Each structure stands twice: as C-alpha cells, then as structure tokens.
Amino acid sequence: MAIQSKVSLPVIKRLPKYYRYLTTLSADGKEKISSSELAHMMGTTASQVRQDFNCFGGFGQQGIGYKVDVLRAEIGKLLFSDGEKLPTILIGAGRLGSAVSSFISRDTNGYKLIGVFDINPELCGKEMGGATIYPLSELEAFCAEHHPTVAVLCVPRQSAMELSGELVAHGIQGFWNFSHYDLSVEYPGVTVENVHLGDSLMSLGYRLRNKD
C-alpha cells in the first residue's frame, strides 16, 4: 500500500472517525460499503472519501466498494501500527486524570499506560488505570528506565508549561494535552494534540442558539 509522504492533518483526523464507523458496521454484520454510503455517515462527499483513501494507496475498487472488515483492518494498521502500543505516562492523578487513565486502559487505542505521576503524596503507591502512581520527583528516573514515548497532561496550565521542556528532555515525543493551554513545544519531532473540552461545549451552545 503506497502512502503519500505528507498526508494532511485533516485527513489524519478523519481516520479515527472512519475506524469508529467501520467498527460499528462490522459489529452489525455489514460486509460491503460504497464510498457514497460511507460519505453519508461521515457527513462529507464520496469524492472526499476516495481522496482520503487515495492518500494511502486506496482500499477498494471504484464501482465495487469496500469490504468493511478489510477497510477497518487497513485503517487500524495506520492508527495502531500492527498492534504495537505506545508506552505512555500520565501527569496529574486528579479526577480528570482518573477518567483519562480509565479510557486509555480499557480502549484499544494503541497506547499502554505504564506510569502515573502526581505531587500528592497520599496518592503515590496507589494504582490508576492499571498503572502505579509515582511522586513527580521520580519522573526523570522512571523515564530513563522505561523510555515512555507519550505524555498525557492532566495538570493546570502553568504546570504544563513548566513540565513540557523537561518531558521532551526525558525522551517524550508526543503530548496529549488537557491543560487548557495550547501547548506548542518548539522541538523537532515532537507532536502535540491539545484537547479543550470546553471548546466542544461552546460550539454546541452556538449551534443550538443559531439553528436558523
């Protein structure tokens, strides 16, 4: 399967949605789907669906459609790298951290939570999402031994700003950032996914108030 050297971010961001819908279709016993049917589910056009898939060499034949299980498996390989899970640490063992760690541990999403860190000594030694909670002071030693690739930030804005450079120095290559701060790490090879839960609520409110 030939993949374009540079796939645009909007296409990449649509892949999980394709995968989610195809998972549902497979569970419902659907064997084949056309680009038009998939486009209707995605809220886009058949042309866009075909363009997206052509970025990765295409997954079907025009006029015949796609085999649901085959398409799901191929997109799964793109998202999950043939089952290899990225070693992940989480910073911040509060309520948000607890919810996020539970999501990581129970969903097949390509990540393995290997350690959680917090400044609260009462939490240290306990488990969260199947991983041990360590004091933040042990972060450097832990990273040196276990070599995590991804850091999930469930800490306040200022803490995220202060920790990001340290984490990159410890070998972190990607951030899933819930800190209410658009983390922009100025280091080559580092990828950031900023998550602002409030943005979705504000967008919903706008759409509700401006239906006409």
Side-chain angles (χ1 to χ4, degrees):
M1 178 176 57
I3 299 177
Q4 291 182 10
S5 58
K6 186 67 174 178
V7 179
S8 71
L9 187 57
V11 174
I12 294 169
K13 285 184 173 291
R14 282 193 289 271
L15 289 178
K17 192 173 181 180
Y18 283 122
Y19 187 81
R20 178 158 46 88
Y21 283 141
L22 289 164
T23 297
T24 300
L25 290 168
S26 179
D28 291 342
K30 180 85 169 177
E31 294 183 359
K32 281 190 175 183
I33 190 166
S34 67
S35 55
S36 296
E37 291 175 297
L38 194 51
H40 180 73
M41 296 179 70
M42 292 284 294
T44 185
T45 65
S47 175
Q48 182 65 72
V49 170
R50 290 192 293 269
Q51 287 178 38
D52 286 353
F53 293 165
N54 283 339
C55 292
F56 308 99
F59 300 115
Q61 296 180 4
Q62 192 168 355
I64 296 177
Y66 307 97
K67 292 182 178 179
V68 170
D69 285 345
V70 172
L71 182 57
R72 179 180 178 275
E74 291 297 330
I75 293 177
K77 289 178 184 178
L78 296 171
L79 293 171
F80 308 132
S81 187
D82 289 328
E84 280 188 32
K85 293 193 173 185
L86 296 169
T88 301
I89 58 173
L90 186 147
I91 317 295
R95 291 181 180 178
L96 176 59
S98 178
V100 173
S101 69
S102 177
F103 173 80
I104 294 172
S105 63
R106 75 171 183 266
D107 285 76
T108 305
N109 50 33
Y111 298 84
K112 182 179 180 180
L113 188 63
I114 61 173
V116 178
F117 295 84
D118 201 275
I119 59 173
N120 185 350
E122 294 183 2
L123 296 176
C124 296
K126 297 181 179 180
E127 283 198 358
M128 178 175 285
T132 301
I133 302 175
Y134 300 93
L136 191 61
S137 59
E138 295 183 14
L139 179 62
E140 181 177 359
F142 183 94
C143 291
E145 180 178 354
H146 298 283
H147 308 291
T149 302
V150 177
V152 182
L153 301 181
C154 297
V155 293
R157 171 191 178 99
Q158 188 62 37
S159 296
M161 295 170 65
E162 294 171 354
L163 281 169
S164 59
E166 179 183 349
L167 287 163
V168 171
H170 295 334
I172 293 298
Q173 300 173 32
F175 290 93
W176 197 22
N177 174 35
F178 290 84
S179 71
H180 302 291
Y181 169 67
D182 281 327
L183 186 64
S184 179
V185 184
E186 300 298 330
Y187 298 96
V190 175
T191 303
V192 178
E193 185 72 28
N194 293 303
V195 182
H196 292 276
L197 299 176
D199 288 4
S200 294
L201 279 176
M202 286 186 278
S203 296
L204 173 63
Y206 176 87
R207 293 166 63 191
L208 287 171
R209 289 188 293 270
N210 295 274
K211 285 184 177 181
D212 297 332

